[in-house]
Amino acid sequence: MDSATTSPTAFRPPFCPNPNCKHHNDSSQPWPYKRAGFYPRLTTPHRIQRFTCLSCRRSFSSQTFHTSYWLKRPDLLSQLFMKTVGGMANRQLARDLKVAPSTIDRQLARLGRHCLLLHTRLTTHARPTGPLVLDGFAAFEFSQFYPFDHHLLVERDSSFFWHFTDSPLRRRGRMTAAQKRRRQQLEQRLGRPDPKAVEHDVHKLLQTVLSQEAAATVRSDDHRAYPRALRRLGCQVEHLVTPSVARRDADNPLFEINLLDLLIRHSQANHRRETIAWSKRRQGSAERLAILLVWRNYVKRRWEKRCRQTPAMVKGLLARPWQVADVLKQRLFRSRIALCERWDRYYRRAVLTVALPHNRAHQLKYAF
Ligand SMILES: [Zn+2]
């Protein structure tokens, strides 16, 4: 599949890239296509094989199936992947890779979309095993007047990071009189976040992961919205509560989620305490979190010491730790992978930040 390492003539397209062609999703019938010459390009390999689908007449190339499709700098994605989970902020990335900051913003979003699809595809036939641990990860977008929670779900026995959603929250906690006035002004102008958002978004999170389960055990802290979120699930849930004031060491039943919290704060520049690199949109935070999820599950070992297995290996999903090249081995097509409703919104960049007058959505036709 990797057109950078295989010779241009050896590549065989696996399906028609046209989403409206009957050979896009259906691989049961033989697919008629023909080779249609080459085109030259500036980076290696310099000759790219072209093809034509004989069913829909769509023309495409070996690059159509590659993650570097339509990229002027095909080397950027793999570097971005490790640097974003290595704590670098967007401007630092731009200086390090010698590209415009807007290039980093766009490519991070693209990489995030790829990671949403990759995790969904890799877990198509996977089922949660053992207790699941649930928690909210506190963050803010645009300014501290717009806090939000990422809801995270982790498997206790494998550290496998299953899924995430998010909810906008109302600013709480200690505020000066001026800050309280400012909050009131902003809420009058932009409205208040839905007070039931946590309940709805945690419900969606659990519904996605537990859709095929008859029974499950969920551990969490004593957040008041969680029992309500668990109520209307089609699955029988045993809910075990650990008070949030309990000591957070390795014996705490919520250890796995506390560890993931630490890993996110340590590895992602936008979630550091007192940072100046906070996310301007929670949409962007979700894209970065999708990259971290793929790194955590498929690339990083479960523990740093005395462990050679990734969470995906503990679960039996993969036989070896993945390298970044494995993550980026092939382009994934949105039209061939069914995303859950919330992740579909992340994919389309449809999660709105109310403080911004314009929220750019994802409408590219030829990039994924
Ligand atoms: Zn076709």
Side-chain angles (χ1 to χ4, degrees), residues 214-263:
T217 301
V218 174
R219 287 186 170 275
S220 75
D221 64 17
D222 43 11
H223 194 296
R224 282 186 310 178
Y226 291 165
R228 292 199 298 270
L230 288 160
R231 239 174 251 161
R232 291 166 291 116
L233 287 170
C235 162
Q236 189 76 34
V237 176
E238 181 190 19
H239 186 201
L240 302 173
V241 175
T242 303
S244 48
V245 291
R247 192 182 156 80
R248 295 188 182 191
D249 56 14
D251 295 325
N252 188 308
L254 307 181
F255 171 71
E256 280 298 339
I257 205 89
N258 294 335
L259 178 66
L260 180 63
D261 276 29
L262 280 177
L263 208 56

Side-chain angles (χ1 to χ4, degrees), residues 64 104 133 140 200 302 319:
T64 311
I104 297 296
V133 196
F140 63 91
H200 291 154
R302 188 180 181 196

Side-chain angles (χ1 to χ4, degrees), residues 161-347:
F161 182 5
W162 262 102
H163 200 52
F164 65 85
T165 56
D166 74 89
S167 304
L169 304 172
R170 193 177 185 217
R171 180 169 180 174
R172 291 173 197 280
R174 210 183 323 156
M175 276 177 279
T176 63
Q179 285 170 333
K180 279 181 189 159
R181 278 199 302 280
R182 179 79 184 130
R183 182 179 76 166
Q184 197 181 5
Q185 284 168 358
L186 288 170
E187 285 182 349
Q188 271 170 1
R189 190 156 58 86
L190 303 167
R192 266 199 212 185
D194 177 4
K196 291 199 167 183
V198 172
E199 181 184 333
H200 291 154
D201 295 318
V202 170
H203 183 81
K204 275 182 192 156
L205 170 91
L206 291 165
Q207 209 169 32
T208 302
V209 177
L210 299 175
S211 62
Q212 301 196 49
E213 305 306 305
T217 301
V218 174
R219 287 186 170 275
S220 75
D221 64 17
D222 43 11
H223 194 296
R224 282 186 310 178
Y226 291 165
R228 292 199 298 270
L230 288 160
R231 239 174 251 161
R232 291 166 291 116
L233 287 170
C235 162
Q236 189 76 34
V237 176
E238 181 190 19
H239 186 201
L240 302 173
V241 175
T242 303
S244 48
V245 291
R247 192 182 156 80
R248 295 188 182 191
D249 56 14
D251 295 325
N252 188 308
L254 307 181
F255 171 71
E256 280 298 339
I257 205 89
N258 294 335
L259 178 66
L260 180 63
D261 276 29
L262 280 177
L263 208 56
I264 296 172
R265 294 239 183 260
H266 178 67
S267 307
Q268 299 221 292
N270 54 327
H271 292 307
R272 291 254 167 84
R273 299 285 186 192
E274 303 297 330
T275 181
I276 57 166
W278 69 86
S279 294
K280 305 307 170 281
R281 286 177 65 179
R282 62 184 199 283
Q283 169 68 49
S285 178
E287 286 153 359
R288 273 177 159 265
L289 193 56
I291 299 169
L292 184 129
L293 177 145
V294 164
W295 171 70
R296 173 58 174 144
N297 286 341
Y298 307 106
V299 179
K300 187 193 175 317
R301 292 171 184 181
R302 188 180 181 196
W303 316 117
E304 284 299 311
K305 291 177 184 167
R306 291 183 292 281
C307 180
R308 307 194 71 80
Q309 289 193 306
T310 61
M313 290 164 72
V314 178
K315 270 193 80 58
L317 291 178
L318 297 177
R320 60 177 175 84
W322 266 17
Q323 306 288 317
V324 183
D326 297 309
V327 172
L328 297 174
K329 195 169 179 190
Q330 52 181 301
R331 172 185 170 196
L332 299 173
F333 288 72
R334 172 69 188 90
S335 44
R336 285 169 53 91
I337 295 172
L339 289 177
C340 71
E341 183 253 335
R342 176 52 61 93
W343 280 25
D344 173 59
R345 285 179 59 198
Y346 290 150
Y347 193 93

Side-chain angles (χ1 to χ4, degrees), residues 16-18 21-24 31 53-58:
C16 179
N18 176 8
C21 177
K22 66 178 177 182
H23 298 286
H24 183 61
W31 171 39
C53 172
L54 296 177
S55 178
C56 70
R57 310 306 298 182
R58 170 67 63 89

